[in-house]
Amino acid sequence: MKRLRLGVNIDHVATIRNARGGLHPDPVRAAAIATEAGADGVTAHLREDRRHITDGDIDRLMAELTLPLNLEMAATMEMLDIALVHRPHAACIVPERREERTTEGGLDAAGQHNSLTPFVGRLREAGIRVSLFVAPDRRQMEAAARLGVPVVELHTGPYAHDAGERELDRLRDAAEYGAGLGLEIHAGHGLTFDNVGLVAAIPQLAELNIGHFIIGEAVFIGLGPAVRAMRAAMDAGRPVTG
Ligand code: PXP
């Protein structure tokens, strides 16, 4: 199987920084350490309420980061303008309001087809690789394919909550079905050293985006070692053959 990419989400470094309103700890420094530790990309979510990552963080990430930046954002005009100014490598569209979500918590790509179509089109015209963060559900895979996005990111939150076979099967089925429709398949949310292996083993997956657990673990063992340990846990779940 091909090597799975690891995107490190640095949002919660900013959460800790913002708890005191100062400059420390700096999420851009965290991105540099993750880069050195072997991450393949960096993910940051600029939320509408700026509760963690700020506009200034995105400016600095675009200027200083040597890895591809995956900008997570809501499908709003404000975020579209920001993405078009910065032109990150990738933009992952995520739901922020309750009414944008499916029952499983991902973006309702099927229900929001009409509003997402021009939005996705503008990002794609700017050369930004668009992904949709969706539930592992065939209907959402079909909706993503209809919208013409190259990537979907499967929401692993429900799997991470109960680590049961049922949720794992939903991820496996959606990954196989989505890949069959020509989509590149990513996954993320709630992944830990213990639960990442079974997800990494899903052969159609190309990338995992992992934040909270890595940043939390960094408190105990340091950020570089936490990134390397997550990499090792992914590799243990997916032996690389070529
Ligand atoms: N992928 C997406 C689209 C997300 O919104 C998040 C959480 O911000 C993650 C991945 C990472 O989730 P976690 O922080 O639980 O690892």
Side-chain angles (χ1 to χ4, degrees):
M1 274 194 272
K2 271 179 72 176
R3 186 174 179 277
L4 194 52
R5 292 194 301 272
L6 170 60
V8 174
N9 183 317
I10 55 170
D11 292 349
H12 296 300
V13 179
T15 302
I16 298 171
R17 175 195 61 191
N18 295 359
R20 286 290 169 93
L23 300 175
H24 183 82
D26 176 12
V28 181
R29 181 174 167 206
I33 293 170
T35 304
E36 237 181 73
D40 301 291
V42 167
T43 294
H45 185 177
L46 185 66
R47 296 188 69 100
E48 289 177 85
D49 63 8
R50 310 301 197 268
R51 74 176 69 147
H52 38 58
I53 294 293
T54 64
D55 299 71
D57 293 330
I58 300 296
D59 291 344
R60 289 179 53 230
L61 285 167
M62 286 304 298
E64 297 174 33
L65 190 65
T66 54
L67 290 177
L69 176 66
N70 175 34
L71 176 66
E72 289 178 1
M73 54 188 259
T76 65
M77 287 315 291
E78 183 200 12
M79 290 300 151
L80 179 61
D81 288 344
I82 291 169
L84 294 178
V85 167
H86 287 294
R87 298 180 184 235
H89 167 76
C92 180
I93 313 302
V94 300
E96 287 190 18
R97 284 188 296 273
R98 182 169 288 276
E99 64 272 18
E100 295 171 334
R101 301 174 191 207
T102 64
T103 45
E104 295 84 6
L107 188 74
D108 187 7
Q112 289 188 262
H113 179 88
N114 291 347
S115 57
L116 286 171
T117 300
F119 197 86
V120 166
R122 297 279 305 278
L123 292 169
R124 292 195 62 182
E125 279 160 25
I128 300 168
R129 197 163 163 76
V130 183
S131 72
L132 303 180
F133 183 53
V134 291
D137 176 308
R138 288 189 177 204
R139 216 172 128 247
Q140 298 296 339
M141 301 301 105
E142 286 163 1
R146 268 201 309 278
L147 278 163
V149 296
V151 181
V152 288
E153 180 166 324
L154 303 181
H155 192 332
T156 51
Y159 158 75
H161 264 112
D162 75 358
E165 267 306 303
R166 185 174 160 271
E167 291 300 334
L168 196 57
D169 278 345
R170 289 173 44 120
L171 289 167
R172 290 180 179 133
D173 181 73
E176 186 179 356
Y177 190 74
L181 296 176
L183 296 164
E184 181 173 304
I185 315 291
H186 299 180
H189 201 94
L191 296 175
T192 68
F193 293 158
D194 288 338
N195 67 21
V196 77
L198 289 171
V199 174
I202 299 172
Q204 295 83 9
L205 287 184
E207 178 175 309
L208 299 181
N209 284 300
I210 308 179
H212 186 268
F213 186 83
I214 290 177
I215 304 306
E217 196 62 16
V219 171
F220 304 112
I221 64 172
L223 182 55
V227 170
R228 278 191 283 272
M230 186 57 83
R231 176 80 256 168
M234 287 163 58
D235 291 345
R238 169 186 290 214
V240 176
T241 51

